[in-house]
Amino acid sequence: MNHSRLIRKYITLFATVITITATATVAFPSDSIPEPITIDRKGGKPTIPEVPRDEAICFALYTVQDNILKLSAQLYPLRDGESREVTLQIHDGTNWRTIARSNVDETGWLATFRIEDWDHSRDHQYRVTHPGGAKFAGRIRKDPRDKDEIVVAAFTGNSNSDRGMREDIVRNVKAQDPDLLFFSGDQSYDHRAHTAAWLLFGRQFGEIIKDRPTVTIPDDHDVGQGNLWGEAGKVSKLRGGADGGYIMSPEYVNMVQRAQTSHLPDPYDATPIGQGITVYYTSLNVGGIDFAIIEDRKWKTGPAGLIPQQGPRPDHINNPSYDRASVDVPEARLLGDRQLKFLREWGQSWGNAEMKAVLSQTIFAGGAHIHGSHNGRLLADLDSNGWPQAGRARALEEMRRSFAFHIAGDQHLATVIHHGINSWEDAGVSFCVPSIVNFYGRWWWPLEKPENHPADNPLPFTGRYYDGLGNKLTMQAYANPKMENHNAAGYGIVRFQKPARNIVMECWPRHVDVTEPGTKQHPGWPITITQQDNYHRQPLAYLPTLNISGQENPVVQVVDEALDEVVYTLRIHGTKFRPGVFKEGVYTIRVGEGDQRQELTGVKSVAADDTSTLDIEF
């Protein structure tokens, strides 16, 4: 490879772009172009195997929210003459007892159950049975509210380039014993054969799914397209879908969503979008960690026809003279008004919640520079949720109001990013977990030197940057693909440590044994942040220190009276809290929940050195 020629090419291509950031300087280390990688493909067409009739139930998924159990059972296709009814049974300590029956939907071969008044205070052994002799059994766990640490295992990108089993992941996850599993999307890469791919997914991961609550949400490949700008359900007319909308029929999209999300808690607002396509955005509380589950791309605007094409595709910008601000058009949407309203209301609701987190398909930044192959550099990628910039800012603003941490995937590149809206690190932290199988590699490989690079960080490209759309981000860790790290494949573990209000991120490679002493994560991990790092905006004033008696760890909400707007809401740790605010003014402070809440109005902000206090007694 001629590195000198490629370096000269990139100097010319990016000279104009580099001038956008006055403080940035070009850095060309000796390895400024990553080496190409290769993958041993083990794919092939998806097939549905013929199974013995006593194995006709492949796997089951469940969640419990507000004492409502929702469970879905995925079957192999049933034969003519076979019963279409399955039963859900619970073991009462002596016998199996049938608690519900459900008919199998032949469009996707799924059966669903919804059980109210579920006793979530203890474990239950369950099984789904079919009259032909098939059984699938597992354990519905009690809510782990008494645990100090709630553990989430997070996955993305189950590429069809390798259809093998995932024994290494399953073995490690069973040893780590998480309280929740989260699959952020692309469980299937077979665009027109979801049921076959979904059954393979069940064979690969059913052993860990059967015994713990699991969130699965579909992304673009699951619903049959390479990228997705759902644009509220319109019909896409362009190959690639960049004009916005869905390529596959609404019947197909709904079948995919039914398979992957029927077991999730009831949607916040179940009103379908265009073409009758269903929605699933909702919330799930596990052990006092309250998760918002959102649909990043269902309302997202397509770029084709909205902004000038400035690269080989409508969503790929490679024009070195492009204006970042010009592509942030006011018509473009990201989450849409419905989900922003949901995030705002969810962020203010803290019943049985100690910390908040958002689960979604991908992160709100352009987190990669090189796509697909070692020389596939892009200036900006409009498939990333760094675009549209204004929509990205609105999403981050709602998330930070509740100090919500963000877990996502899709990017084929593990990263930890501290997002900024107006100032560096003034919004939340996201963990984009690595792909299960990373056939399509991406690299974080900036041409600019970072600002505020931590001297003790072993990764050279960490620190403050602008992404290709001008969004502020602070890169804390990334896992670029190499041959020796199996192309940076793996999965993530997140530990929510409730007493300390800490969040620990772990990034585990494929083909290691986590039970072996000395087993290492991807370089740069683990990373620990605090809950309040997710709204790390610098206060410009303060409110008097709150001294609270009669409640331990109460909820505190701060409201800007001039704007009649919630600044933030969180459950504090302890009984003393000094609220920071971001402009001088008059505020309302609400402390407590429900009937046990006190409200103080007309509270004036004070200077940083002011020692005044407010006593609140319950």
Side-chain angles (χ1 to χ4, degrees):
M1 160 184 328
N2 190 329
H3 284 264
S4 298
R5 189 192 322 154
L6 286 171
I7 289 171
R8 286 195 300 272
K9 172 184 174 183
Y10 286 127
I11 292 174
T12 301
L13 179 61
F14 290 96
T16 305
V17 176
I18 297 301
T19 62
I20 294 173
T21 307
T23 58
T25 57
V26 181
F28 295 108
S30 59
D31 58 346
S32 62
I33 306 298
E35 292 298 320
I37 57 173
T38 58
I39 297 273
D40 181 16
R41 296 183 68 120
K42 302 175 183 177
K45 292 183 177 180
T47 59
I48 299 178
E50 185 67 28
V51 298
R53 304 327 294 160
D54 62 356
E55 298 176 11
I57 303 172
C58 182
F59 71 109
L61 297 151
Y62 77 84
T63 62
V64 180
Q65 175 72 11
D66 297 327
N67 296 109
I68 298 173
L69 166 68
K70 294 186 71 176
L71 184 146
S72 63
Q74 179 64 55
L75 281 74
Y76 290 93
L78 296 171
R79 297 173 179 170
D80 291 345
E82 289 185 319
S83 172
R84 266 46 178 174
E85 184 180 80
V86 293
T87 62
L88 176 61
Q89 298 181 330
I90 300 297
H91 201 271
D92 61 13
T94 305
N95 300 302
W96 287 102
R97 178 170 57 89
T98 297
I99 61 171
R101 301 178 186 276
S102 177
N103 291 323
V104 178
D105 184 342
E106 296 186 16
T107 307
W109 303 103
L110 189 77
T112 60
F113 300 90
R114 187 179 191 277
I115 312 296
E116 298 186 0
D117 299 322
W118 185 258
D119 180 3
H120 206 192
S121 66
R122 64 184 183 89
D123 288 358
H124 299 265
Q125 299 300 318
Y126 77 92
R127 70 181 185 183
V128 181
T129 69
H130 181 266
K135 298 180 178 65
F136 183 86
R139 173 166 59 109
I140 299 170
R141 297 189 176 203
K142 72 174 185 177
D143 185 33
R145 185 160 301 278
D146 56 344
K147 292 182 61 177
D148 287 341
E149 180 178 85
I150 302 301
V151 181
V152 179
F155 313 86
T156 196
N158 192 36
S159 172
N160 61 7
S161 61
D162 181 354
R163 297 193 188 278
M165 294 297 102
R166 311 291 188 233
E167 296 97 336
D168 59 316
I169 293 178
V170 170
R171 179 189 66 246
N172 286 340
V173 170
K174 289 176 75 173
Q176 291 163 326
D177 194 23
D179 303 287
L180 175 70
L181 304 180
F182 171 47
F183 292 86
S184 71
D186 295 342
Q187 284 72 249
S188 161
Y189 274 75
D190 294 293
H191 290 186
R192 287 166 173 77
H194 179 266
T195 300
W198 187 238
L199 286 163
L200 174 59
F201 171 83
R203 294 192 295 275
Q204 291 168 328
F205 294 102
E207 183 63 22
I208 53 175
I209 286 172
K210 68 184 179 65
D211 292 331
R212 48 185 55 81
T214 301
V215 172
T216 52
I217 58 176
D219 201 2
D220 40 22
H221 292 283
D222 297 287
V223 299
Q225 47 199 98
N227 290 312
L228 174 63
W229 299 266
E231 206 157 325
K234 64 178 278 194
V235 178
S236 173
K237 302 292 181 61
L238 283 184
R239 182 178 181 181
D243 56 334
Y246 289 81
I247 296 171
M248 302 295 285
S249 71
E251 292 79 14
Y252 186 87
V253 174
N254 283 342
M255 179 269 292
V256 171
Q257 294 188 153
R258 199 160 50 242
Q260 296 206 23
T261 69
S262 289
H263 68 290
L264 297 183
D266 297 342
Y268 170 80
D269 174 2
T271 305
I273 59 171
Q275 302 188 75
I277 292 173
T278 58
V279 303
Y280 57 82
Y281 63 100
T282 187
S283 62
L284 172 68
N285 191 306
V286 177
I289 311 303
D290 193 17
F291 298 94
I293 302 165
I294 60 173
E295 307 181 58
D296 303 28
R297 289 164 165 144
K298 186 154 276 180
W299 280 269
K300 186 174 179 177
T301 307
L306 185 65
I307 61 173
Q309 184 165 324
Q310 302 185 70
R313 294 170 20 176
D315 55 317
H316 283 180
I317 294 179
N318 266 339
N319 174 10
S321 62
Y322 88 102
D323 180 359
R324 293 168 171 176
S326 71
V327 302
D328 191 21
V329 294
E331 301 93 327
R333 298 289 183 269
L334 183 54
L335 295 187
D337 292 341
R338 287 172 58 178
Q339 289 194 111
L340 291 173
K341 178 176 181 285
F342 161 63
L343 283 175
R344 179 164 293 199
E345 294 187 4
W346 166 81
Q348 296 180 44
S349 177
W350 283 77
N352 299 318
E354 297 191 44
M355 302 169 74
K356 297 258 182 183
V358 172
L359 307 178
S360 78
Q361 286 124 337
T362 194
I363 57 172
F364 300 124
H369 299 97
I370 300 175
H371 295 235
S373 61
H374 68 288
N375 58 357
R377 184 175 286 273
L378 292 179
L379 292 180
D381 177 14
L382 303 185
D383 173 57
S384 81
N385 277 351
W387 184 83
Q389 298 97 311
R392 171 239 187 213
R394 284 191 289 269
L396 291 173
E397 285 168 357
E398 293 304 335
M399 291 162 60
R400 74 182 182 179
R401 289 184 205 272
S402 60
F403 298 82
F405 177 66
H406 188 194
I407 310 173
D410 171 70
Q411 290 298 299
H412 304 247
L413 171 65
T415 59
V416 174
I417 292 174
H418 201 155
H419 298 268
I421 302 173
N422 298 313
S423 301
W424 302 104
E425 299 104 31
D426 68 358
V429 176
S430 69
F431 182 15
C432 179
V433 300
S435 290
I436 297 166
V437 176
N438 198 12
F439 176 72
Y440 185 89
R442 287 192 174 106
W443 288 259
W444 173 258
W445 209 282
L447 296 176
E448 305 88 9
K449 288 182 178 179
E451 297 294 328
N452 287 42
H453 170 69
D456 59 348
N457 194 311
L459 299 168
F461 303 136
T462 53
R464 292 175 173 176
Y465 292 92
Y466 292 94
D467 71 8
L469 293 153
N471 300 308
K472 294 180 177 69
L473 63 85
T474 302
M475 183 62 71
Q476 296 187 346
Y478 56 88
N480 283 334
K482 301 177 183 178
M483 292 300 295
E484 58 266 30
N485 68 5
H486 301 281
N487 306 312
Y491 66 97
I493 290 285
V494 179
R495 302 180 184 274
F496 293 89
Q497 297 174 340
K498 295 187 292 187
R501 298 290 197 270
N502 286 339
I503 301 167
V504 181
M505 292 159 272
E506 302 174 1
C507 193
W508 292 98
R510 292 291 305 272
H511 311 298
V512 301
D513 185 346
V514 300
T515 65
E516 288 291 327
T519 299
K520 294 183 178 180
Q521 301 176 40
H522 283 296
W525 281 270
I527 294 173
T528 300
I529 65 170
T530 70
Q531 176 188 29
Q532 293 191 42
D533 286 335
N534 291 296
Y535 197 169
H536 201 60
R537 188 177 174 186
Q538 184 63 40
L540 297 180
Y542 290 85
L543 302 182
T545 298
L546 307 179
N547 291 322
I548 304 162
S549 60
Q551 281 195 17
E552 186 74 22
N553 302 335
V555 174
V556 173
Q557 183 176 84
V558 176
V559 180
D560 185 328
E561 291 187 2
L563 299 175
D564 190 25
E565 180 174 275
V566 173
V567 180
Y568 55 77
T569 314
L570 82 161
R571 187 180 297 280
I572 69 169
H573 184 220
T575 57
K576 181 175 288 190
F577 180 65
R578 191 184 193 202
V581 292
F582 310 110
K583 66 183 182 69
E584 295 180 353
V586 180
Y587 294 85
T588 293
I589 302 174
R590 297 172 181 143
V591 181
E593 305 167 72
D595 295 336
Q596 295 296 309
R597 187 172 82 168
Q598 294 191 29
E599 182 173 287
L600 301 157
T601 60
V603 180
K604 294 181 179 180
S605 61
V606 298
D609 58 357
D610 189 287
T611 59
S612 58
T613 62
L614 288 172
D615 294 329
I616 301 172
E617 297 181 359
F618 286 92

